[in-house]
Amino acid sequence: MKDIVQTTGIQDQILEAFNFRHACKVFDAERKIPEDQFATILEAARLSPTSFGHEPFKILMIQTQEKRELFREFAWGANGMMSRTTGQLGTASHFGILLAQTGTLQTAGSDHLQEFYSQVKQLPDDIIEIFNGAYGKFQASDHDITTDREITDWAGKQAYIVLANMMTAGALMGIDSCPIEGFEMDKTIATLKEHFGIDPALYKPAAMFAFGYRAGAPMFDKTRRTMEDTVAWF
């Protein structure tokens, strides 16, 4: 009975966090997330699952207002969809960009992956050979993702798993968040290259994100499809 009660409590916390979370457009600029709590959010990102365990992402945190303003003109989704001065760029406690690795790094057999298998995953040579074969088949025939754009998009899918876990971790601590896709890709890539030293041959932006504490109640009530419309059982 004790285990059932504890599990039920966790279930309630999870659902409460998901009902709490919304795409926050304007944060309380005076409130900052405690360092240890945001470290937990980043650790949730680091520990997130990714396909083949490749971790094909990088997190770029942008904390100075001067650096954030570099994106102002073309990151329209980070302007709060209301006022440029009250949007996520201007009010979020923490603002960042999730970068997805390109085909240069994530093509089967690449130098990057051989080093990753050896140094990060610490795999022996015979297992690395198995990984190369399985991942090569996955790319070439199972899913037919062989172009740089296709591989980068696949890496972006892994980045979204990471972002979802970050937002859930934040919600469980009462921290608000917002995923942001409203930005011009070419201008974002150029800015990342010029001002942040991000090589577009290796990384492309997958999504921006903002964390902090809401300045007011959500503009809209949370609405979702019914469970019957969402899930089919067979």
Side-chain angles (χ1 to χ4, degrees):
M1 180 61 71
K2 182 179 179 181
D3 290 341
I4 293 175
V5 172
Q6 289 178 340
T7 302
T8 301
I10 292 173
Q11 290 173 259
D12 289 342
Q13 291 177 42
I14 292 171
L15 294 179
E16 184 178 329
F18 274 94
N19 279 296
F20 164 83
R21 200 215 67 79
H22 75 292
C24 188
K25 306 302 182 185
V26 182
F27 297 90
D28 182 344
E30 301 303 315
R31 294 187 66 189
K32 302 301 178 185
I33 300 170
E35 184 176 336
D36 66 317
Q37 292 185 22
F38 199 76
T40 297
I41 292 173
L42 291 179
E43 186 68 355
R46 190 181 73 88
L47 295 174
S48 291
T50 54
S51 183
F52 285 88
H54 278 187
E55 304 176 43
F57 68 92
K58 187 179 183 70
I59 299 173
L60 187 68
M61 295 304 305
I62 305 172
Q63 289 302 91
T64 67
Q65 197 59 44
E66 177 185 10
K67 291 292 188 182
R68 291 184 187 184
E69 287 300 317
L70 294 171
F71 300 92
R72 178 70 71 180
E73 294 299 325
F74 49 85
W76 52 269
N79 286 324
M81 299 179 69
M82 296 191 311
S83 168
R84 290 157 58 92
T85 60
T86 60
Q88 299 96 319
L89 277 171
T91 63
S93 170
H94 288 67
F95 186 89
I97 300 177
L98 261 169
L99 304 174
Q101 291 183 352
T102 67
T104 301
L105 300 180
Q106 285 297 318
T107 296
S110 69
D111 291 342
H112 165 78
L113 284 178
Q114 305 320 295
E115 182 178 358
F116 180 82
Y117 292 149
S118 175
Q119 301 300 315
V120 178
K121 297 185 78 67
Q122 301 181 20
L123 300 175
D125 290 345
D126 58 332
I127 302 300
I128 290 176
E129 186 175 348
I130 292 174
F131 261 77
N132 284 329
Y135 182 55
K137 178 178 179 296
F138 169 83
Q139 280 193 328
S141 59
D142 292 350
H143 287 260
D144 189 24
I145 48 174
T146 55
T147 68
D148 183 72
R149 173 61 185 269
E150 290 168 341
I151 295 171
T152 304
D153 286 346
W154 169 84
K157 292 180 181 180
Q158 315 315 308
Y160 273 81
I161 296 173
V162 173
L163 182 53
N165 285 339
M166 292 174 69
M167 292 190 295
T168 300
L172 285 164
M173 294 185 286
I175 297 170
D176 289 294
S177 61
C178 187
I180 300 164
E181 284 189 313
F183 57 88
E184 296 179 42
M185 182 63 71
D186 289 346
K187 291 180 180 179
T188 301
I189 290 172
T191 299
L192 290 172
K193 180 179 180 180
E194 180 179 356
H195 297 279
F196 299 88
I198 302 299
D199 185 350
L202 305 180
Y203 289 96
K204 298 285 177 60
M208 297 178 178
F209 60 82
F211 284 83
Y213 299 97
R214 65 189 67 180
M219 295 176 60
F220 306 103
D221 292 335
K222 185 181 290 290
T223 59
R224 293 292 188 274
R225 292 176 295 162
T226 65
M227 187 64 74
E228 291 74 19
D229 287 338
T230 304
V231 181
W233 292 80
F234 296 94

